[in-house]
Amino acid sequence: MDSARMLIVEDNADLCHTLAEVFRKSGHKVVTALNGAEAQRLLKTSAIDLVLLDLRLPDMLGIKVLEFAKEVDPEIMVIMMTAVANDPRPAVEAMKVGAFDYLTKPFELDEVKLVVAKALETAGLKREVSRLKQQQRGQFPETELFGDSAPMQEIKNLIKIVSDTPRTSVLIQGESGTGKELVAKTIHQWSARQDKPFVPINCGAIPENLLESELFGHEKGAFTDAKALKKGMFELADTGTVFLDEISSMRPALQPKLLRALETQIFRRIGGTADIQVDVRLVAATNRDLGEMVKLGEFREDLYYRLKVMVIVLPPLRERIEDVLPLAQLFIEKNNREFNKNITGIADDAEALLREYQWPGNVRELKNVIERGVILCQGNQLKPEHLPMELRDEKSRHAAVIAAPITATDDDASLSLEQMEKVHIQNVLNKFKGNKSRAAKALNISRSTLREKMRLYELAG
Ligand SMILES: Nc1ncnc2c1ncn2[C@@H]1O[C@H](COP(=O)(O)OP(=O)(O)OP(=O)(O)O)[C@@H](O)[C@H]1O
Ligand SMILES: [Mg+2]
């Protein structure tokens, strides 16, 4: 990375200023903070690649800022600065939390420059690797769409029909973990575009102000950060498929531009004057009801109608219980190979538990439950004791939820599934003290899905 966005957090104003000047001169974009609160504010509002972070700040420990930074962006590079040379413990702790390196004060400026350059190089390589991996994943779904229940057969039929159309946009609707992304990849794979790029973008994961340039690209100098020309996903996906995940997160102001690009297959880069013609199919996914959002004025009606031409609704797993056991079998076979096990079947009572459970996290949850089971199972049959508590003991789970502090009412039978979900998410968030990464992990959902749900239920982190 020749030009990075840096944040320098240092309460010594002179040092802070010196460092900022040094890195501005080498072409980086630098912002500074003299305390932890300011640093957190900047981390939340500006896209930062690298942080130079003092371990001891006036209002909080640098470690807290480090944790916060990693929470906002797990890929962010953080270099700690510490004055306490004779006590390596805080620095070691910081490395554990994910700091890239640390510098002991006083340091030479050349030394800082070197560590920063190393960190940026590593970040650049990582990004390249994950881009390639993602591309590969996009090109070859590792799992085939599985399940022969009536709804799944219907869905496969629909996929065949839309795959045959050259450019029809598709909207995939379904709860978290129902397989929306897998369906999107399948559409691409079954279509004539299969050898062409499949470019996924998660609208919920990209800061609002960056999404437009991510989609359509920008010319050099289009805005302060635009140091070089950048091609957008629509250009990169030419002749292939763009997958817009969590399209409900797209701010309304950007929606007409997307609509126009879809209808004309022509767009301009930000700051550009030339029309760019492409041939792209859009597949979009959402776990919110866009129709409802239109009524609330949160999603544009014209774009909604455009997307609605072809909708694939993925029913929750609890509404296609016939798929549970075949899917469980599929995941057992996969995990047998991965963990070198030889589990040949599922005991009757374990089967019953799998079929009775409500699967709020849908196929993703089932997949994780089976993986865990395969790891725990020493014999060749999956038994109830290899399944998590919540499957074995619906009642105690229910009781725990009802006893939780934010339960809406103690008349438990009156809680809707949605309320249960809300209560459960809040409890898990409480348990992990608002740490979204850990909460999302425990809930078996992605961080962006968690954020989406927190917004939906108006939950505090
Ligand atoms: N019908 C299926 N057959 C095989 N695997 C499936 C099926 N449906 C989902 N999966 C697997 O379950 C996991 C979750 O699926 P996917 O990521 O597509 O869900 P999603 O609807 O996009 O979830 P989210 O809303 O949380 O992003 C993936 O590992 C996927 O491969
Ligand atoms: Mg998804």
Side-chain angles (χ1 to χ4, degrees), residues 142-144 328-340 367 370 374:
E142 54 217 43
T143 316
E144 218 172 294
Q329 207 58 53
L330 172 79
F331 295 140
I332 288 179
E333 279 159 28
K334 279 183 184 293
N335 286 300
N336 269 343
R337 256 173 279 145
E338 180 151 342
F339 299 109
N340 216 354
K367 193 175 171 186
I370 296 296
V374 169

Side-chain angles (χ1 to χ4, degrees), residues 76 117 315 356 393:
I76 202 166
E356 279 158 23
D393 201 356

Side-chain angles (χ1 to χ4, degrees), residues 130-140 197-200:
S130 77
R131 193 185 62 80
L132 288 172
K133 265 198 193 150
Q134 196 168 27
Q135 219 171 38
Q136 225 170 32
R137 261 207 301 277
Q139 232 59 295
F140 316 100
F198 175 90
V199 179

Side-chain angles (χ1 to χ4, degrees), residues 59-217:
D59 54 342
M60 66 182 80
L61 288 175
I63 269 274
K64 271 205 80 175
V65 180
L66 167 63
E67 279 171 350
F68 186 88
K70 286 279 164 186
E71 170 86 30
V72 174
D73 174 10
E75 313 266 87
I76 202 166
M77 284 288 170
V78 182
I79 298 165
M80 306 299 293
M81 301 182 287
T82 158
V84 272
N86 46 6
D87 181 8
R89 273 173 306 176
V92 170
E93 180 67 14
M95 300 295 284
K96 272 197 210 145
V97 181
F100 174 75
D101 207 344
Y102 66 90
L103 293 157
T104 315
K105 292 181 197 170
F107 41 68
E108 300 288 325
L109 287 176
D110 280 346
E111 200 185 340
V112 198
K113 277 192 190 164
L114 197 70
V115 174
V116 166
K118 212 167 59 179
L120 291 178
E121 196 188 333
T122 308
L125 289 176
K126 269 197 188 159
R127 202 154 306 158
E128 183 62 14
V129 168
S130 77
R131 193 185 62 80
L132 288 172
K133 265 198 193 150
Q134 196 168 27
Q135 219 171 38
Q136 225 170 32
R137 261 207 301 277
Q139 232 59 295
F140 316 100
E142 54 217 43
T143 316
E144 218 172 294
L145 195 61
F146 204 76
D148 280 321
S149 62
M152 278 314 281
Q153 284 183 19
E154 176 116 345
I155 281 162
K156 286 183 198 168
N157 274 336
L158 273 176
I159 296 176
K160 274 205 196 84
I161 294 167
V162 288
S163 306
D164 278 344
T165 67
R167 205 175 293 142
T168 309
S169 307
V170 189
L171 177 65
I172 307 170
Q173 230 161 337
E175 287 180 12
S176 174
T178 45
K180 296 185 291 297
E181 182 156 0
L182 189 55
V183 167
K185 287 174 182 166
T186 309
I187 293 172
H188 177 75
Q189 266 224 318
W190 290 1
S191 77
R193 299 172 184 265
Q194 63 188 72
D195 298 322
K196 302 293 176 2
F198 175 90
V199 179
I201 315 168
N202 189 331
C203 304
I206 295 173
E208 269 187 359
N209 55 335
L210 298 183
L211 186 57
E212 183 175 357
S213 104
E214 203 62 29
L215 288 174
F216 302 121

